[in-house]
Amino acid sequence: CFLPFQTLTAPAPFADETSCQCQAPHEKLTIAQARLGTPVDRPVRVYADGIFDLFHSGHARALMQAKTLFPNSYLLVGVCSDDLTHKFKGFTVMNETERYEALRHCRYVDEVIRDAPWTLTPEFLEKHKIDFVAHDDIPYSSAGSDDVYKHIKEAGMFVPTQRTEGISTSDIITRIVRDYDVYARRNLQRGYTAKELNVSFINEKKYRFQNQVDKMKEKVKNVEEKSKEFVYKVEEKSHDLIQKWEEKSREFIGNFLELFGPDGAWKQMFQERSGRMLQAFSPRQSPNSSPTRGRSPSRSPSPPWVFNKASPPSSPKAASASLSSMSEGDEDEK
């Protein structure tokens, strides 16, 4: 019997939780047959194993490849226990329970086999009805063997996957060791004790002093940034003020020239007032002579009361005679 399809929202079960005891004979498949596809009720059972310490994207990509090797597959993942791992490989960062749980929540895993063997035996393969074993093709020397997957390859049950370069558990541990002081100081700031971090008394004081220095540097940096921001705002305001002052200055100069310039309104107004004052002080003169009707131009009339200064009358009789003659002349004109 086979497990029903597992959804991505539920964690993969452990092998001992499935209670799957298949009694039917397990027909052996070739890689060509598996790649053509199998019936829905007969998925290709692919097995991948490892330590999976500090589970990372390189692990996930390897499991993704193992899951997608064939159109219809069921992926079982074996995880070695702490005792076995410490014996053949070395100390781990995560304990076995943490490593089991990390694998259960990977979307490509259908079932997790705890306390997996270091070297795969025919009995183990038959117990879990394993068709193929997926792993990278680099020979894995361990437990006194040059390649622990040599007998799997000879049996035609090995399917290679590709390693993800640039990421591995050893790489992550190397980063931590390289930057140990940084991480120790950070965790001291977060409240961990020197005993929990396995830090000596002298190193603890050194790290705390360095943290204080970093805080002072951060404060100075913040002050510098605020000062730069303030200076920038002042410069921006000054630029706006200068621009406004220039605009007002141009406006003032334009108004001044329009009023007091060579052709300004003030000059025209002054000229108009000057003309009026000159007319007021110098009125227009009357004409000296005017033509007389019925008289020649050469003859100028004299008023009747004007006497000849050159020959004044010598006696009253003469005066009366002259007056009578003037009256006669007037009558002739009429």
Side-chain angles (χ1 to χ4, degrees):
C1 77
F2 297 97
L3 286 175
F5 179 75
Q6 300 292 322
T7 63
L8 298 178
T9 56
F14 292 119
D16 54 359
E17 295 175 356
T18 62
S19 65
C20 178
Q21 302 294 331
C22 299
Q23 302 298 330
H26 188 69
E27 298 178 0
K28 188 173 179 60
L29 295 173
T30 64
I31 294 179
Q33 290 173 335
R35 285 177 177 169
L36 289 175
T38 57
V40 177
D41 59 347
R42 174 56 173 96
V44 181
R45 294 175 68 84
V46 181
Y47 176 80
D49 61 356
I51 309 302
F52 301 104
D53 191 19
L54 296 175
F55 190 79
H56 51 75
S57 61
H59 294 143
R61 287 178 61 85
L63 297 177
M64 177 189 69
Q65 295 177 62
K67 176 66 176 178
T68 57
L69 284 171
F70 308 108
N72 181 24
S73 62
Y74 184 87
L75 180 61
L76 301 95
V77 179
V79 184
C80 300
S81 65
D82 286 345
D83 292 338
L84 202 61
T85 303
H86 297 167
K87 178 181 178 181
F88 291 107
K89 190 169 183 179
F91 190 71
T92 58
V93 177
M94 300 170 65
N95 59 44
E96 60 184 27
T97 303
E98 294 169 336
R99 292 185 286 115
Y100 296 154
E101 288 297 324
L103 265 298
R104 288 188 68 192
H105 295 276
C106 178
R107 62 181 299 179
Y108 308 111
V109 177
D110 294 307
E111 189 172 345
V112 176
I113 300 176
R114 295 177 291 188
D115 194 15
W118 197 262
T119 302
L120 300 178
T121 62
E123 293 78 15
F124 179 83
L125 298 175
E126 180 62 27
K127 175 183 177 181
H128 296 283
K129 309 299 181 182
I130 296 171
D131 293 310
F132 300 101
V133 176
H135 200 274
D136 61 80
D137 202 14
I138 301 173
Y140 192 80
S141 58
S142 181
S145 173
D146 294 336
D147 189 0
V148 294
Y149 298 104
K150 182 178 179 181
H151 63 290
I152 302 295
K153 294 177 182 178
E154 292 174 349
M157 298 176 61
F158 185 84
V159 184
T161 58
Q162 298 294 323
R163 291 180 63 89
T164 302
E165 298 297 332
I167 182 69
S168 67
T169 302
S170 299
D171 292 336
I172 296 174
I173 294 174
T174 300
R175 297 178 199 174
I176 297 173
V177 172
R178 180 189 60 198
D179 300 324
Y180 170 77
D181 290 350
V182 176
Y183 294 121
R185 288 166 54 190
R186 184 185 67 180
N187 288 337
L188 281 174
Q189 285 181 319
R190 292 179 176 179
Y192 288 90
T193 64
K195 184 178 180 180
E196 290 173 328
L197 296 173
N198 196 24
V199 173
S200 65
F201 176 80
I202 296 176
N203 285 336
E204 178 190 4
K205 299 302 178 185
K206 181 183 73 173
Y207 293 151
R208 294 192 183 280
F209 176 74
Q210 289 174 343
N211 288 336
Q212 294 296 327
V213 172
D214 289 344
K215 287 182 180 179
M216 290 299 299
K217 288 181 179 179
E218 188 67 23
K219 288 182 179 179
V220 171
K221 183 179 179 181
N222 292 335
V223 171
E224 288 179 352
E225 290 178 354
K226 290 181 180 179
S227 300
K228 289 180 181 178
E229 185 178 357
F230 175 75
V231 171
Y232 174 76
K233 288 183 178 180
V234 170
E235 289 178 353
E236 189 176 13
K237 291 288 185 182
S238 301
H239 178 72
D240 293 341
L241 290 174
I242 291 172
Q243 187 175 3
K244 290 180 180 178
W245 181 83
E246 289 177 351
E247 292 175 357
K248 293 293 183 182
S249 299
R250 285 193 293 267
E251 183 179 355
F252 175 79
I253 293 171
N255 293 336
F256 182 84
L257 293 175
E258 185 178 354
L259 186 62
F260 298 102
D263 299 325
W266 179 262
K267 182 179 180 182
Q268 295 178 2
M269 183 177 63
F270 181 75
Q271 289 176 351
E272 291 178 0
R273 289 188 178 182
S274 299
R276 291 175 185 175
M277 291 177 66
L278 290 174
Q279 289 180 3
F281 286 110
S282 302
R284 186 177 299 175
Q285 296 181 355
S286 301
N288 293 329
S289 60
S290 60
T292 305
R293 183 177 56 186
R295 186 179 295 175
S296 62
S298 60
R299 186 179 175 183
S300 60
S302 298
W305 60 84
V306 179
F307 301 96
N308 191 357
K309 292 182 180 182
S311 58
S314 58
S315 64
K317 291 182 177 179
S320 61
S322 63
L323 287 171
S324 62
S325 62
M326 291 174 61
S327 62
E328 291 175 359
D330 292 335
E331 290 178 358
D332 294 336
E333 291 178 1
K334 293 179 180 180

